[in-house]
Structures are given as structure tokens and as C-alpha cells.
């Protein structure tokens, strides 16, 4: 092996240090982009705010003037949000989805004549989500992995690696626990006729907990990608 001059050794060491620093910076940027993308999937900061306003309007209107005012207030706010996004030339799909959700919830509450039924569909949807996520782990198709890798066009290569499946199992079980906790808490408040507390629980256990769950999914994705790169199941340059 040819001997290297001190200048060559210094150059090699400097280049290696620079490459390592570049890799660390790239990993940090990727982590930041993943968290940003997770927030974007929820509609961004404005989307978080818009999602809670109809609930606040319903609870406030119902507590002050009764069920009818509560329903009208929630519908008016949801419609106003849709119009505002349209005027600002923003994506109206989240607003339309929110308006549809408010309309259905308000319709159920109007039909039964009970303010607490405004939250009924969301309560049972939480139970359905918990069961679905848990079942996906039991059949070895953890939904966190399926949804993430479908969205990022990576296919199902992750399923061929046991450790990758474990990472996504953890993320999926966290999501199942979030949906399960929503159901348990909100069902208890529903049975106790605590309409105001139901509204607070829906907001507090909504996007904040979902955001936490998405961070766990992002962690699982990073760990899985690193593992798949290491064993040669994921081509270099795909992350």
C-alpha cells in the first residue's frame, strides 16, 4: 500500500469530516421536512384553527341560547370558513370536508333533539379507528406502514423486513391507543351529558394527539428507511 503524504492525509480527514457534517445536516433537514409534511397533511396551522372553530361555536351557542342556536352557529362558522378560503384562493377541499362533517353532526343532533348527539358520530368513528388500527397489526399489515409507504410511493418492500414491520407496528399501536382514548373519554362524557366538556375533549384530543401520532409514524418511517438501506432493500437516494 503506497504511503500517503501528510498533506494527503489532512485532505482526506477534512473531506471525511465535511461529508459527515453534510450527512448530519441532511438528516436534520429530512426530519424537519417530515414534521412539516405531517403538519401540512393536517391542513397547516390555519387548518388546525379552522377545524376547532365550528365546535367552539356550537358549544357556545348551545350553552347561551340552546340547541337551535348552537347548530346555526356551527353551520354559519363552517360556511364562513369555506367562503373565506374561496376568497383567498386557498384549497377549499378541507373546508368542504369540515362543512360536510358539521352538517352531518348537526343533522343528527337536530333529529334527536339532544345537543350531545352533535358529537355522537365522532365518538363511534374513534372506536372504529381504534379497532381498525389494532386489527391491522394483528393481521401483520400495520396501517401506519401501509398508509405512509403508499403516500410516499415506496410500495410494500418494508413488509419483507421484520424490524421495519416492528417499527410500523409500534406507530400503528400508538394511533390505535389515541383513537381508543378518544372513544373512552368522550363516551364517558357523553353518558354524563357533559356537552361543554365534550367540546373541550374533542378539541384537546383531536389534532394535538393526532399530531403526536404522526410524529411517531415519522419516526417509524425514518427507522425503517435506515434499516432498509442497510440491508439493501431500499435503493440509495430513496428516503
Amino acid at each position: 500500500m503506497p504511503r500517503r503524504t501528510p498533506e494527503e492525509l489532512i485532505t482526506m480527514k477534512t473531506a471525511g469530516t465535511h461529508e459527515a457534517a453534510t450527512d448530519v445536516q441532511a438528516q436534520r433537514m429530512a426530519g424537519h421536512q417530515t414534521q412539516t409534511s405531517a403538519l401540512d397533511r393536517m391542513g397547516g396551522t390555519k387548518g388546525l384553527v379552522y377545524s376547532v372553530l365550528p365546535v367552539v361555536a356550537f358549544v357556545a351557542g348551545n350553552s347561551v341560547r340552546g340547541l337551535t342556536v348552537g347548530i346555526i352557529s356551527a353551520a354559519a362558522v363552517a360556511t364562513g370558513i369555506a367562503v373565506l378560503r374561496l376568497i383567498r384562493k386557498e384549497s377549499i377541499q378541507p373546508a368542504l370536508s369540515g362543512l360536510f362533517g358539521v352538517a352531518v353532526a348537526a343533522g343528527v343532533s337536530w333529529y334527536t333533539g339532544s345537543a350531545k348527539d352533535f358529537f355522537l358520530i365522532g365518538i363511534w368513528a374513534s372506536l372504529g379507528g381504534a379497532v381498525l388500527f389494532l386489527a391491522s397489526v394483528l393481521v401483520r399489515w400495520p396501517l401506519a406502514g401501509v398508509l405512509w409507504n403508499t403516500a410516499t410511493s415506496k410500495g410494500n418492500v418494508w413488509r419483507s423486513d421484520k424490524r421495519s414491520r416492528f417499527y410500523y407496528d409500534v406507530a400503528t399501536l400508538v394511533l390505535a391507543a389515541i383513537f381508543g382514548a378518544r372513544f373512552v373519554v368522550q363516551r364517558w362524557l357523553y353518558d354524563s351529558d357533559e356537552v361543554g366538556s365534550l367540546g373541550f375533549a374533542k378539541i384537546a384530543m383531536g389534532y394535538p394527539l393526532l399530531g403526536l401520532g404522526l410524529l411517531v409514524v415519522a419516526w417509524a418511517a425514518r427507522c425503517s428507511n435506515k434499516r432498509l438501506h442497510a440491508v439493501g432493500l431500499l435503493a440509495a437516494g430513496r428516503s
Side-chain angles (χ1 to χ4, degrees), residues 62-76:
N62 178 73
S63 63
V64 174
R65 299 298 298 271
L67 176 60
T68 300
V69 173
I71 291 175
I72 293 174
S73 299

Side-chain angles (χ1 to χ4, degrees), residues 126 129-137 142-145 165-183 205-206 208-220:
S126 294
V131 172
L132 186 61
F133 278 108
L134 180 59
S136 72
V137 173
L143 267 179
R165 289 201 311 270
F166 170 75
Y167 294 138
Y168 285 117
D169 280 343
V170 172
T172 303
L173 289 174
V174 168
L175 292 173
I178 289 173
F179 281 94
R182 285 181 183 175
F183 172 76
M205 303 183 76
L209 284 184
L210 182 59
L212 176 62
L214 288 177
L215 288 178
V216 178
V217 174
W219 163 82

Side-chain angles (χ1 to χ4, degrees), residues 195-210:
V195 177
S197 297
L198 262 174
F200 176 79
K202 183 176 180 64
I203 294 171
M205 303 183 76
Y207 277 121
L209 284 184
L210 182 59

